[in-house]
Structures are given as structure tokens and as C-alpha cells.
Amino acid sequence: MKNISPVVVVGLVLTLVCLSLFVSGPGFIQAVSNYAYDAFIQRVHQEAQSEHVVIVDLDDASLQKYGQWPWPRYRVARLTENILSAGAAVVAFDIVFPERDRTSPLVVEQDLNTNFNLNVRIEGLPDSLLDFDRMFAEALRKGKTILGCFMVPSDKPVDERDPGIDPAFKPHINAVAVGGAADIRKVMMQAGGLTVSIPVLNTASRSAFFNAVADSDSIVRSNPLIWGYGDRIYPSLALEAVMLFRGDPKCMVRFRDQGIEDVRIKELLIPTDRAGRMVVNYRKIREETAGGFASSFPAYSAADVLEKRLPPKVLDGKIVFVGTSAVGLKDIKASPLTQFFSGVEVHATIADNILAGDMLSSPSWMVGVHSIAILLMGVFLTIFINRGKSWLSFLVSVAMILVSIKGSLVLLEKFHLVCVPAWVILSVVIIYPVLTMIKFWQEELQKKRVRDMFGTMVSPTVLHYLENHPGSFSLSGQKREATMFFSDVAGFTTISETLQPEQLSHLLNSYLSPMTSIIMERGGYVDKYAGDGIMAEWGVPFATDDHAVQGC
């Protein structure tokens, strides 16, 4: 049985190592994959597609004009009313209001009474101006509005949630088990608690979480659409905004024991990963704010909204996200496109993705595709390096990398499938140089073996052939037409008896050396020396058509 080449053995082992590393997913390799994904997004990102999403920005200019945040709720109420009166379809606040407004006259009276024991009454104000929180609540009721809430992440489901948290909660997400799955809490992201707005505001609008979950390198590449708190399921700010915009009161989440399948709003299917996270298809940067934040959507200063200085119909029929790019409020997120992204931009982008229908998808079966690609690539590259030329193996390796990159870009741009070939490329980068070095080492050993065996017996031409074709000779027999040459010195026995050993040695060298040179110059192979005799062949160890001519 022919021995298996070390190149093949090592190549197959390295292929299995790469495959096992891909399955286990070490963190440092995931960082490389994330970097590659960011590069792809930077290459294929587009302008905002739906034309239904705008942002009202609590920017530095607004804070300079109207004072530090938080503003009095009467001002936020006026902001809300002006947005709705401008025709906004939905107003979504990337803000939570967990405490009463301390500037409300009623709250001021209570504080003075509590802290200074003063029975102060603020008179002369109409009842509608005594409580700014109620003013804001009335403004929220005038249209479709959403207030943000914050989910406190937890590693495990809450068995007994606090009944005092968000008593106004109304379920409008239906969880549907597929294939006998029992408990969605086991596969969905869970909260150990949450922060919601005060009841008077919470009952006047919808609630949705505004968490933007970053990867380990602090870049937001995907974000959950649903989040669990006990037996409740909360939607993200973007998902809730889209539901209200479409006029769909509820959505459906399909899940299995292995994880979330998808999120559906009637016929609209939103792909997610197993934890219910949607990959964000970031949009092209339109402009940068005065604070240095990047923006992908039309953004209008809150000061301009309060003063009604907006161009006509810019908010008409839109989903209006209210957030901040003010540096001091530190709602700073990083995306694959920029390190300076306001949190509200993430929610606006997700909403635009859903409305435009170009959500990115990273389906679970993509793991199998990557595994097969790594396996096939490793086996093919191993066989090719073992049998092919070194320069051709290099070109094939480069071609594999380029094809992987181009194919992944096409899948991302045309089919919105996330297929980052980081592992395939890394496998090529690992397998090719290692196998090339082993093959080079193996060939050097073979050449040394040939030189040791034939260096003093054949011509340089024949030696060069043998070095480059080590498989052309072996200890097994072969049937071949060849020319055999025998010669010796006539009367050598008589001559040798009359000479001293030194003289005899000189005689043999004077004869054998030039004869060997002549044989090698004619492409012959000196088989052996037998005293004064020489045995040589032409046509072996490699065949020649004119072996008989060369031997004459």
C-alpha cells in the first residue's frame, strides 16, 4: 500500500481543526468575523428606503435655547402636540419618564410642605396648568404615541415579577409554539426588572423598550425585537412604532425549543436570530450634527418644532422618533459605519428596515453552509497542494478567498443574507502556508535523497530530472527498452600484476574518470564500477528516444 503523503494527513487534520474552531466559536475569531461584517456593511449600505421615518432631535441647540434636560413636561407636551399637529402618524420617544415633573406647581407645593413644613398654595393658575404630567398625558392621548422603557438584563427568567411594575401593561404580542415547544422564556432575552414611565403617562400611551444591545466590542450590529419580563413580552421601540404605523394592534412570535423562529406582523415576516434579535441594515450617513453625531434620516431640531419653523409636511404621515444627539446626554452608540451614532438612530434604522422589507437575515442553517464550505475548501485545497504546482496552488488559494468575499457581498446586497466568510478565509490562510511549507520540506528531503543516491553517478541533466521526478524510480521492477554499456581495460590482470598499488590507482583514475565524464555528457547513468570495468545505461531511470545513439 502506497504511503499517504504528509501533506494530505496534515491538510485533513487542519481542516477538522478549523471546522471544530468554527463550531466552538472562540471570541478572538468572532472579533475577526465582526470586523469583516463591518467592512461588508460599509461596502453595500444604502440610503433610507421607506421615506416614512424622521427624527426630532433634542440637540445641543435646543438645550441651549430651552435649558438643560429634563425639560418641564409642559414643554414636552407642547413638543408632542406640535409634532402631532404637523401630521405625524406615530410619535415614539426614545426616552423614559420614571419620575414626576419636579417643576409642576402641585409637586412644588408638596415639596415645600414636606421639606419646610410650609402650607404654600400657588394660586391664579387654571387647573390644567397645576400638573404638568397630566398636561403631557393629555398630549400623548391626542395621537399614536409610545414612551420608552428600559429593560434590566438578566441571565434567567423571572419566576415572580413585581406586580407593582407597569400595572398598565397590555399584552399585544402572541407567542406561538412550533413543534411542541413549551416556554418562550427559555429562548427569549429576559429582564430582571424594568424602568417605565410614571402611571399617568404610561396609561396615556404605549410602552416599548429602547435598549440598544452592543456586541463585546461596543458596536450595535443587531438588536432584540422582543424582550421578556416574567410572563410578559415587550416589543422594541421600532417594532411598536411599525405596528402602530401599519394599524396592526398585535404581532406574533413563533418559537421552538431551539429559539425564536421569526416575528410576524400579519403577512410581514421579520427574520430574527434564535434570541429574537434582528440584524440591523444600516443606512448611508446623510449628515453630521453640530455635536459630531452621524445621521441617516431627516432630523429636525426640537427647538424648530417648538417654534413651528419646520418646512411644510416634513412630518406628515411619518413615524417620528424623538431622541437626542446632545453630547452631554451621552446617548452615544457605535455602528459599523460610525463611532458617533445617537441611540435613536438605531431604532429609526430598524423601523426603516421593517417598512422597506430589506431586513438582514442570518438564518440558523447558515452555520451548516459555513461548515460544508470549510470542509470542502479544506479537502480541495489539500488535494490541490499535494498534487499541483506551488504557484498554481497560490493562485487557487487567492481565488478561493476572492470568490468567498464576492459571493458574500452578493448574498448581502441582493438577498439580504449575512454570510461573512471569515472562517473560510481564515481556513485558507491557515491551511495553505502550512501545507506549502510541508510540501517544500518534503520535496527538499526527496531531492537530498536523490543527490545522495545518484550525485556521483549521473550527469547534471539526469540528476535534475530525478530531483524533479522522484517518483520515476523505485525498488520495484519495470520493463523498459534501454541501452546497456560494458567496458574494461584489455589485459588489466597482467598489467596490475606489474604495478605498485599507487601506480595502479593512478592508472584506474586516469581511465575511469574521463570515461565517466564521457558517459555523463551523453546522458548516461553509471550503474557500477567493477575493478577496471564500467557498467552504464541509457534510457533509465528515465526514458529517452535516442538512448541507443547516445550509448554508441
Side-chain angles (χ1 to χ4, degrees), residues 65-121:
K65 186 159 190 176
Y66 289 99
Q68 67 183 24
W69 185 263
W71 285 345
R73 300 283 161 78
Y74 71 82
R75 185 170 294 134
V76 183
R78 186 177 302 165
L79 178 70
T80 305
E81 289 173 346
N82 288 355
I83 293 173
L84 291 172
S85 64
V90 178
V91 182
F93 285 87
D94 184 25
I95 305 167
V96 64
F97 301 91
E99 300 171 344
R100 296 182 66 187
D101 185 354
R102 291 173 294 176
T103 66
S104 292
L106 284 178
V107 177
V108 171
E109 290 177 353
Q110 293 171 2
D111 284 346
L112 291 174
N113 189 12
T114 301
N115 296 315
F116 297 99
N117 199 25
L118 296 175
N119 190 16
V120 176
R121 290 290 180 269

Side-chain angles (χ1 to χ4, degrees), residues 523-552:
Y525 162 49
V526 177
D527 186 283
K528 67 181 68 174
Y529 299 101
D532 62 324
I534 301 175
M535 177 179 177
E537 297 99 17
W538 280 262
V540 291
F542 69 97
T544 56
D545 294 334
D546 60 345
H547 56 85
V549 175
Q550 295 296 330
C552 293

Side-chain angles (χ1 to χ4, degrees), residues 361-378:
S361 174
S362 182
S364 57
W365 50 261
M366 195 62 72
V367 175
V369 172
H370 283 294
S371 300
I372 294 173
I374 292 171
L375 188 61
L376 293 179
M377 178 279 306

Side-chain angles (χ1 to χ4, degrees), residues 50 52 89-90 144 146 206 238-252 263-270 317-319 350-357 359:
S50 71
H52 294 307
V90 178
K144 297 178 179 180
I146 311 167
R206 296 276 194 110
L239 179 62
E240 185 71 15
V242 171
M243 291 169 59
L244 287 178
F245 181 79
R246 288 168 49 95
D248 298 319
K250 292 189 177 184
C251 74
M252 179 177 67
V263 177
R264 296 172 181 259
I265 307 176
K266 289 188 176 179
E267 75 286 352
L268 176 62
L269 185 147
I270 307 171
K318 310 290 187 182
I319 298 176
I350 295 174
D352 185 69
N353 291 170
I354 297 173
L355 291 173
M359 301 81 71

Side-chain angles (χ1 to χ4, degrees), residues 151-402:
M151 313 299 287
V152 181
S154 174
D155 294 332
K156 58 183 180 180
V158 175
D159 294 327
E160 295 184 7
R161 57 178 173 79
D162 187 346
I165 296 179
D166 195 13
F169 173 81
K170 294 180 180 178
H172 49 276
I173 296 181
N174 295 329
V176 178
V178 179
D183 192 354
I184 192 174
R185 295 183 302 171
K186 295 180 180 179
V187 296
M188 179 175 53
M189 295 187 69
Q190 289 293 318
L194 70 157
T195 302
V196 296
S197 297
I198 58 176
V200 66
L201 301 178
N202 213 26
T203 55
S205 67
R206 296 276 194 110
S207 290
F209 66 86
F210 55 64
N211 299 59
V213 181
D215 292 334
S216 58
D217 56 359
S218 300
I219 295 178
V220 180
R221 298 181 178 88
S222 61
N223 208 55
L225 293 182
I226 56 174
W227 207 310
Y229 174 58
D231 56 351
R232 297 176 178 176
I233 302 176
Y234 283 81
S236 70
L237 192 66
L239 179 62
E240 185 71 15
V242 171
M243 291 169 59
L244 287 178
F245 181 79
R246 288 168 49 95
D248 298 319
K250 292 189 177 184
C251 74
M252 179 177 67
V253 177
R254 299 194 313 149
F255 70 98
R256 299 178 182 272
D257 287 332
Q258 294 78 15
I260 305 295
E261 287 285 308
D262 52 53
V263 177
R264 296 172 181 259
I265 307 176
K266 289 188 176 179
E267 75 286 352
L268 176 62
L269 185 147
I270 307 171
T272 68
D273 66 7
R274 291 302 192 186
R277 295 174 298 204
M278 190 189 96
V279 182
V280 184
N281 189 3
Y282 283 99
R283 305 308 194 186
K284 186 176 180 180
I285 303 299
R286 293 166 51 98
E287 58 186 353
E288 290 190 357
T289 66
F293 282 82
S295 179
S296 301
F297 299 90
Y300 304 99
S301 174
D304 291 338
V305 176
L306 287 169
E307 296 169 11
K308 297 185 177 181
R309 293 186 302 181
L310 296 180
K313 296 186 177 181
V314 293
L315 305 183
D316 189 27
K318 310 290 187 182
I319 298 176
V320 180
F321 286 92
V322 182
T324 180
S325 67
V327 176
L329 298 183
K330 298 182 179 180
D331 187 20
I332 304 173
K333 307 296 180 185
S335 78
L337 303 182
T338 176
Q339 294 294 315
F340 297 98
F341 220 48
S342 61
V344 70
E345 289 278 344
V346 176
H347 306 299
T349 303
I350 295 174
D352 185 69
N353 291 170
I354 297 173
L355 291 173
D358 61 351
M359 301 81 71
L360 297 182
S361 174
S362 182
S364 57
W365 50 261
M366 195 62 72
V367 175
V369 172
H370 283 294
S371 300
I372 294 173
I374 292 171
L375 188 61
L376 293 179
M377 178 279 306
V379 172
F380 175 79
L381 194 58
T382 297
I383 295 174
F384 201 92
I385 292 175
N386 184 55
R387 297 188 176 183
K389 299 289 186 181
S390 297
W391 64 269
L392 194 56
S393 300
F394 173 76
L395 293 180
V396 169
S397 300
V398 172
M400 282 183 171
I401 294 174
L402 295 178

Side-chain angles (χ1 to χ4, degrees), residues 4-11 14 380-394 396-397 430-448 467-470:
I4 300 176
S5 169
V7 173
V8 174
V9 174
V10 175
L14 286 178
F380 175 79
L381 194 58
T382 297
I383 295 174
F384 201 92
I385 292 175
N386 184 55
R387 297 188 176 183
K389 299 289 186 181
S390 297
W391 64 269
L392 194 56
S393 300
F394 173 76
V396 169
S397 300
I430 292 172
I431 293 174
Y432 170 75
V434 172
L435 296 192
T436 300
M437 287 188 293
I438 292 176
K439 185 177 182 181
F440 176 78
W441 168 74
Q442 188 179 18
E443 290 176 349
E444 283 298 307
L445 289 180
Q446 291 174 337
K447 289 181 179 180
K448 184 178 183 301
E467 286 180 339
N468 290 282
H469 300 83

